[in-house]
Amino acid sequence: MRIDHIAIWTKDLERCAAFYVTYFDAIAGAHYVNATKGFQSCFLSFEGGARIEVMSTTKLQPVVVEPGAERMGLTHVAINVGSNEKVDQLTSRLREAGFVVKDGPRQTGDGYYESIVLDPDGNRVEIAA
């Protein structure tokens, strides 16, 4: 068994998808639209097979949490970029682009070198090596 994908609600599908495409080399698939349900989504694929489904809706009211909130349940997605140098480079690039860097880069007690940034919707993204 393996995890196939995670899903993220967003108010701006294009903006959210562009973040992962631009900074994490995701490949955006075709957009799916279900007008009856007020739903649209796009799968973002990463090297190695991981995927994120970004979704938006006009009919539901997903719970809004404070950007970067530590909460029960799914709290972050970790993307391994391959090296400490790449963690440093990507973290600097995101900071310079105006994204919030919550922590790091730093060596963790569990063996990762990582930083935590917020995506455009305030979701925590761990950049790891």
Side-chain angles (χ1 to χ4, degrees):
M1 290 188 205
R2 67 179 176 86
I3 295 173
D4 184 76
H5 69 276
I6 63 162
I8 300 173
W9 283 118
T10 180
K11 291 184 181 280
D12 188 331
L13 193 82
E14 297 301 328
R15 178 193 66 184
C16 188
F19 173 81
Y20 291 97
V21 167
T22 301
Y23 297 104
F24 294 94
D25 298 330
I27 305 295
H31 281 60
Y32 167 75
V33 176
N34 183 325
T36 303
K37 292 188 175 187
F39 175 83
Q40 61 178 314
S41 71
C42 175
F43 276 94
L44 307 172
S45 299
F46 297 84
E47 186 178 319
R51 297 188 307 158
I52 295 174
E53 181 182 15
V54 291
M55 310 177 308
S56 64
T57 180
T58 58
K59 300 224 175 170
L60 302 174
Q61 298 298 321
V63 175
V64 177
V65 297
E66 179 182 335
E70 290 283 9
R71 58 191 168 94
M72 296 304 293
L74 184 64
T75 192
H76 73 262
V77 60
I79 300 175
N80 192 307
V81 296
S83 72
N84 294 5
E85 294 78 22
K86 288 182 180 179
V87 171
D88 291 341
Q89 292 167 354
L90 183 53
T91 302
S92 292
R93 187 174 165 211
L94 287 160
R95 182 180 284 118
E96 289 169 10
F99 292 97
V100 174
V101 176
K102 295 292 281 184
D103 193 14
R106 67 186 181 88
Q107 187 69 45
T108 66
D110 57 357
Y112 286 96
Y113 184 75
E114 69 182 31
S115 64
I116 305 291
V117 299
L118 301 185
D119 77 4
D121 292 296
N123 298 300
R124 297 170 69 91
V125 179
E126 183 178 294
I127 304 169

